[in-house]
Amino acid sequence: MLPKLKQPVSGCPIQVPQTKARYAQKLTEYMRIILRIKQDSPVLIDKYLLGPEIEVDAICDGDNVFIPGIMEQVERTGIHSGDSIAVYPPPDLNENMKIQVLAITEKICKALSVRGLVNIQFVLY
């Protein structure tokens, strides 16, 4: 798990403890620092998952979901920042996984009453 500010603040870098023994101490110190900074939602907790990152773009009108395709990121999961490279079709996704990704994307779009474009990123974990 990796705690970090929702919006980066100069002088408050992400802390990555190198051992489990130091994790609780560093986490406590880091939380004290970031909780002093007033934000609506000050802390995000990330857990990096190892596995290919799959990306889906969809268009939804609230009822119908159109998914033009599924892409796979070339870079390792979690290291790109918007300037990434994706390939189509996804080489690490078998037919069963494609069906699951499409079904989950459709469920998310309908549950959130999406109207317009949506981008969902999955990790095969």
Side-chain angles (χ1 to χ4, degrees), residues 15-123:
Q15 298 290 318
V16 183
Q18 299 300 316
T19 64
K20 287 183 180 183
R22 299 255 312 143
Y23 187 80
Q25 176 189 359
K26 284 293 187 184
L27 180 60
T28 302
E29 290 172 17
Y30 189 64
M31 292 302 292
R32 281 192 193 121
I33 292 167
I34 58 180
L35 291 175
R36 280 186 277 175
I37 302 165
K38 302 293 182 215
Q39 296 185 57
D40 291 336
S41 301
V43 180
L44 296 177
I45 303 293
D46 282 347
K47 179 177 181 182
Y48 288 96
L49 305 174
L50 297 176
E53 182 176 342
I54 302 302
E55 192 163 342
V56 179
D57 288 324
I59 303 167
C60 186
D61 64 4
D63 295 314
N64 302 299
V65 181
F66 174 68
I67 303 167
I70 303 171
M71 301 165 280
E72 183 175 331
Q73 295 291 334
V74 173
E75 296 90 353
R76 281 190 2 227
T77 300
I79 65 163
H80 58 83
S81 60
D83 59 350
S84 61
I85 297 172
V87 293
Y88 175 84
D92 290 321
L93 208 59
N94 65 41
E95 197 59 37
N96 185 47
M97 289 179 182
K98 287 179 190 175
I99 291 168
Q100 288 181 328
V101 166
L102 294 173
I104 292 167
T105 299
E106 187 170 339
K107 284 180 183 179
I108 290 170
C109 288
K110 289 182 177 182
L112 296 176
S113 301
V114 171
R115 286 181 167 38
L117 301 173
V118 66
N119 174 269
I120 302 174
Q121 296 162 5
F122 298 92
V123 176

